[in-house]
Amino acid sequence: MITWLTRGYMTLVYLFLYLPILVLIGYAFNDSRSLYTWGGLSLRWFEAALNNTLLMQATGHSLLLAIVAATGATIVGTLTAIALYRYRFRGKKLLNGLLFTVMMSPDIVMAISLLALFILLGIHLGFISLVLSHITFCIPFIVVTVYSRLSNFNPAILEAAKDLGCNEWQMTRHVLVPIILPAIAAGWLLGFTLSLDDVVVSTFVTGPTYEILPLRIYSMVRVGLKPEVNALATLMLLISLLALLASHLLIKKGSS
Amino acid sequence: MLHFFQRPRSPFKTGVLVLIWGWMLTFVLLPNVMIIFTSVMTRGDSHFIEWQLTLDNYIRVFDPLYLQVFISSLWMAVITTLICLIIGYPFAFAISRFPAHVKPFLMLLVIIPFWTNSLVRTYALKVLLATKGLLNQSLLSLGLIDTPLRMLYTEGAVILGLVYVLLPFMILPLYAVFDQLNYNYIEAAQDLGASKIKTFWHLVIPLTMPGIIAGSLLVLLPAMGMFYIADLLGGAKHLLIGNLIKNQFLDARDWPFGATASIFLTSAMAILLYAYWRSIKLMKQQVNV
Amino acid sequence: MTHPPSVLVSLKDVSKSYDDKTVLAALDLDIYDGEFVTLLGPSGCGKTTILRLIAGFERPNHGQIILAGEEITQQAAHLRHVNTVFQSYALFPHMSVFDNVAFGLRMEKVAEPEVKERAIQALEMVQLANLAHRRPHQLSGGQQQRVAIARAAVKRPRLLLLDEPLSALDYKLRKQMQNELKRLQRQLGITFIFVTHDQEEALSMSDRVIVMREGHIEQIGTPRQVYENPKTLFVARFVGETNLFDAVIQTKNNHHWTLTLAQQNVCIKARTHLAHLAEGQKVKVLLRPEDMRLYAPADRQALADQPCLSGKVIERNYKGMTLDTVIALEQGGQILVSEFFDEEDPDFDYRLGESVLVSWVANWEVILVDEQVSPSVAVSAVEEV
């Protein structure tokens, strides 16, 4: 039913999506100092990357930021999803619209508005401003992930919990959250990768005292191509891939 | 069911609502209102802005120097969106016609790039396109060209980079509408005498419009803002509105003008969002029938 | 039909399979001009596939489809003079009711004034002209159904295909639409092929019923033939409620047979078309619940020359129009009797546990030899196509 023309076309598109990544990974294992000549397999650039103190410090910062931001966004996002699913309240449509707007709006618009906010409130640009910003742009994605699990959930289960004497909090804590836990975990992983991935917002709201990995890489590759970046980028791809697969399995498990 | 939702308020519910509303008001609504205010203020030397109302910033947008950046950025973004649509539309359709057990895997392959760092992927493209990069080397050794092509630091490179990073954002919403598209409509159109081309024009395009608009929204807006792609692949010459905003905020320290530029981006978003809401309404009707 | 009908559609030796699953196996079928034909069968029997082959949404793996003397086997769907009313209606959600109905005419490049006239006419025919400007989702299910019919009928097709069009409606509306469809079919003079799994619907609407099972045709006949003379056990079970018994022919002469049925001897009239069956042959006996009558044991004498079984009442269910009684037969086995309610009859009401006699009009029982249709049965009373 699916013609060879279609298959050929799809292969080309996939090739377009993956070729640069595969070439990058190939170069990461290239022994040669020059990027463009093949000098045999080697792990020297992974070693160089791991020995680069600045790079490693930035990596540590980024991981810490991603974990804190993902956790914060997961708490707020999950509670929001539950509220949107469970309650009627004034301004529900507005809240939905706001979340949708945040998800759709270009990063740079959010970046400058947050920068203006932090300056006005006198919040020091650094870890705190980064965490607050990252939580903000992660929230809608987590709301969507958790809400989609909630929306095919039998509300009678919650009525049963109430019937058996749970108050609102007990019902959420002992019945609702355990059931949607896979979706919550998947949301956390999505938040984690979004935070690790972000360049635009971080460029604006970071300060000189707290350098994070994407910005460190950015400043390194702006001027030229660095082989140790290939190695580090390969590691980052691996982390993202693992996070994606884990979240995929979690969502599958959650829906079965 | 009704009374179940209308229980007297619990402290838990109140707490959750205060938290989320507080967050959204503080970190979304308030900052955006501030940007609107900033855009009608005057540039200040010590505190970024001075409390003096002016519309100068909106007039400055039409200064040929900036207007040129706006137009070229918009141009590149539109071309990027069109290319993504042309590549993504048949691609999403093709995936939706695969058997149900293959589709998730094919979509996973599209989602993987979406989850990987876009800066890293842009950098990978740069490695590929460099004068001594793999692409030039391959073309040289195949004898297709005699001297290496200058592919980096061109408008084409920026557009290629934008397409490369943003293509999954086009495919995902398109796939969602194709997957939900009730094939009965297409059969009904053919049954009533519509040829393949007419079916496509009168049925497939209108019914997939929410996906087309959502995909365009997700491509067009970032395509004007992703300054690091223009930076890495276009050098200093091919700027996006994003580069302009970034320069005004971080280098030139002219916040009011930067804010004005971002309002243009936001307005573009508002127009597209409106189109999206209209088409999603239609989509819901389609699902309910 | 008074004059000999002409064939409108023929399927000749048509086979269809998906992957390795055979849906239709070497099927032959003729549909006559102007008739209302129903394809009846359980889901997966291939009835919808026949519609889709005629409409052109699928191509057969083998065989020919001929419409009005012209082979259309490989013709694209949009070129066929055949229209479909879809099970889900498939009304275009982004067009008004009027534009939906006008769509097919516009595709034919009919001039716009004529499009308008014919579309409004079609909507008047289904009494919806006043809702022409609405969107499909603003209509009720029954109204959407009518629009779907108008949209297909406005093209004046030779043949209208209806794929379970009433299945989404509630019982009362379904009854009403059944009448309306019959009226429309007569009024338009178009051939209807109607697909359903509801036997009651099939019997009440059709000129002919085609009972299908697992990709082949079990029986073709008028609703009466299919109901009263099922050719196979499958048809008997699928069409209406049935009491089914294993029986053995004990003795036979030219006038009467004696059968052992639930270990009681029953005398029935001889079956000429089954004359070849020998004594000792096993057969199946079908008895429709509504053909049965209950009598008090004292009436035994009066029933001397009628077939008769005895048992005890174990269940009574009042159904409004009828009273259903389940009888446990003396020698094992159960039988369902469905009698029209008659308040005047003092003997009508039997108590649970009461002994009764079950009888039926002689010759109304159906005798089948086997699950397989034997050639002799095939001739019985059913016209061959």
Side-chain angles (χ1 to χ4, degrees), chain A residues 174-245:
Chain A
H174 296 289
V175 180
L176 192 56
V177 169
I179 292 176
I180 60 172
L181 200 59
I184 296 175
W188 188 90
L189 286 165
L190 180 59
F192 179 79
T193 29
L194 283 173
S195 167
L196 266 191
D197 191 17
D198 175 68
V199 179
V200 175
V201 175
S202 304
T203 303
F204 284 83
V205 299
T206 191
T209 54
Y210 202 81
E211 185 158 48
I212 57 170
L213 188 61
L215 298 183
R216 178 80 213 138
I217 293 181
Y218 185 37
S219 65
M220 281 172 84
V221 299
R222 274 180 89 171
V223 280
L225 306 177
K226 298 278 186 328
E228 61 253 58
V229 172
N230 295 346
L232 200 64
T234 303
L235 290 177
M236 285 181 71
L237 288 174
L238 194 68
I239 292 174
S240 310
L241 200 63
L242 289 177
L244 169 63
L245 290 178

Side-chain angles (χ1 to χ4, degrees), chain B residues 184-185 187 190-192 202, chain C residues 52 78 83-84 88 155:
Chain B
N184 268 339
Y185 293 136
E187 285 183 348
Q190 286 175 358
D191 187 70
L192 295 167
H202 290 288
Chain C
R52 295 174 61 80
H78 70 276
N83 289 108
T84 308
S88 63
K155 300 263 294 177

Side-chain angles (χ1 to χ4, degrees), chain C residues 65-342:
Chain C
I65 302 169
I66 291 153
L67 174 67
E70 191 189 337
E71 186 182 342
I72 56 163
T73 318
Q74 298 299 329
Q75 196 179 41
H78 70 276
L79 301 174
R80 299 187 185 193
H81 294 291
V82 166
N83 289 108
T84 308
V85 176
F86 290 81
Q87 183 174 15
S88 63
Y89 315 144
L91 296 178
F92 305 137
H94 58 301
M95 295 179 194
S96 68
V97 165
F98 177 84
D99 287 334
N100 263 283
V101 177
F103 185 86
L105 297 174
R106 288 178 176 151
M107 290 301 114
E108 274 179 42
K109 297 214 166 61
V110 172
E112 199 58 25
E114 193 191 334
V115 168
K116 191 161 185 219
E117 194 193 315
R118 279 172 66 182
I120 291 295
Q121 228 172 37
L123 283 169
E124 275 166 357
M125 178 184 77
V126 293
Q127 289 127 39
L128 281 178
N130 54 331
L131 301 181
H133 58 281
R134 294 241 184 126
R135 285 290 174 90
H137 71 102
Q138 295 169 306
L139 304 183
S140 70
Q143 288 169 333
Q144 291 184 16
Q145 164 73 81
R146 287 157 197 248
V147 176
I149 293 166
R151 185 177 72 172
V154 76
K155 300 263 294 177
R156 296 175 188 157
R158 298 295 303 274
L159 178 60
L160 196 64
L161 308 172
L162 301 105
D163 185 6
E164 307 216 11
L166 308 182
S167 61
L169 305 178
D170 61 46
Y171 181 78
K172 226 178 143 182
L173 202 51
R174 204 157 66 221
K175 287 274 154 214
Q176 189 189 328
M177 282 309 295
Q178 284 174 8
N179 291 331
E180 200 150 334
L181 276 176
K182 274 303 290 180
R183 174 181 70 77
L184 275 174
Q185 196 254 343
R186 257 179 268 128
Q187 187 182 328
L188 295 167
I190 299 175
T191 308
F192 276 33
I193 304 183
F194 187 94
V195 161
T196 184
H197 61 260
D198 179 343
Q199 44 98 10
E200 197 186 328
E201 199 166 274
L203 296 181
S204 67
M205 296 175 79
S206 329
D207 297 323
R208 284 198 303 157
V209 177
I210 298 167
V211 185
M212 294 192 60
R213 177 198 186 187
E214 289 170 7
H216 67 264
I217 294 172
E218 287 272 315
Q219 185 169 1
I220 302 181
T222 64
R224 244 188 115 156
Q225 287 166 341
V226 169
Y227 188 79
E228 293 180 1
N229 282 305
K231 272 205 263 178
T232 66
L233 271 181
F234 175 80
V235 175
R237 282 187 180 135
F238 193 76
V239 182
E241 294 251 32
T242 299
N243 293 300
L244 179 68
F245 292 96
D246 287 315
V248 177
I249 303 176
Q250 290 298 341
T251 60
K252 54 182 279 206
N253 60 38
N254 288 340
H255 304 289
H256 294 286
W257 292 7
T258 314
L259 303 180
T260 315
L261 195 162
Q263 294 175 36
Q264 302 184 31
N265 281 338
V266 175
C267 184
I268 64 165
K269 284 187 183 163
R271 292 293 194 279
T272 46
H273 66 277
L274 292 172
H276 64 284
L277 296 181
E279 289 176 359
Q281 170 80 42
K282 286 181 182 166
V283 292
K284 302 270 182 189
V285 177
L286 305 176
L287 295 165
R288 296 285 185 197
E290 66 278 9
D291 292 345
M292 323 285 286
R293 291 289 170 272
L294 293 181
Y295 297 94
D299 294 336
R300 166 83 68 180
Q301 294 304 318
L303 296 168
D305 48 345
Q306 287 198 45
C308 198
L309 296 168
S310 56
K312 279 193 167 72
V313 175
I314 57 170
E315 210 179 302
R316 307 215 83 189
N317 290 313
Y318 176 64
K319 290 275 176 70
M321 289 275 280
T322 59
L323 189 59
D324 290 0
T325 311
V326 180
I327 317 290
L329 298 177
E330 264 169 15
Q331 314 296 330
Q334 292 188 353
I335 193 162
L336 175 70
V337 177
S338 186
E339 292 175 294
F340 274 95
F341 206 81
D342 184 1

Side-chain angles (χ1 to χ4, degrees), chain B residues 168-246:
Chain B
F169 291 85
M170 180 64 90
I171 294 174
L172 291 174
L174 282 176
Y175 170 75
V177 288
F178 272 121
D179 203 40
Q180 278 187 30
L181 183 66
N182 187 341
Y183 213 69
N184 268 339
Y185 293 136
I186 292 168
E187 285 183 348
Q190 286 175 358
D191 187 70
L192 295 167
S195 60
K196 281 204 164 130
I197 294 168
K198 280 186 172 165
T199 306
F200 183 74
W201 184 251
H202 290 288
L203 270 302
V204 181
I205 297 232
L207 292 176
T208 54
M209 199 44 94
I212 295 175
I213 296 176
S216 303
L217 192 75
L218 289 170
V219 172
L220 187 78
L221 298 172
M224 290 189 279
M226 292 185 132
F227 56 80
Y228 54 94
I229 293 180
D231 234 15
L232 290 180
L233 301 172
K237 279 174 298 177
H238 304 282
L239 298 180
L240 304 180
I241 298 178
N243 298 74
L244 185 77
I245 297 173
K246 179 177 159 245

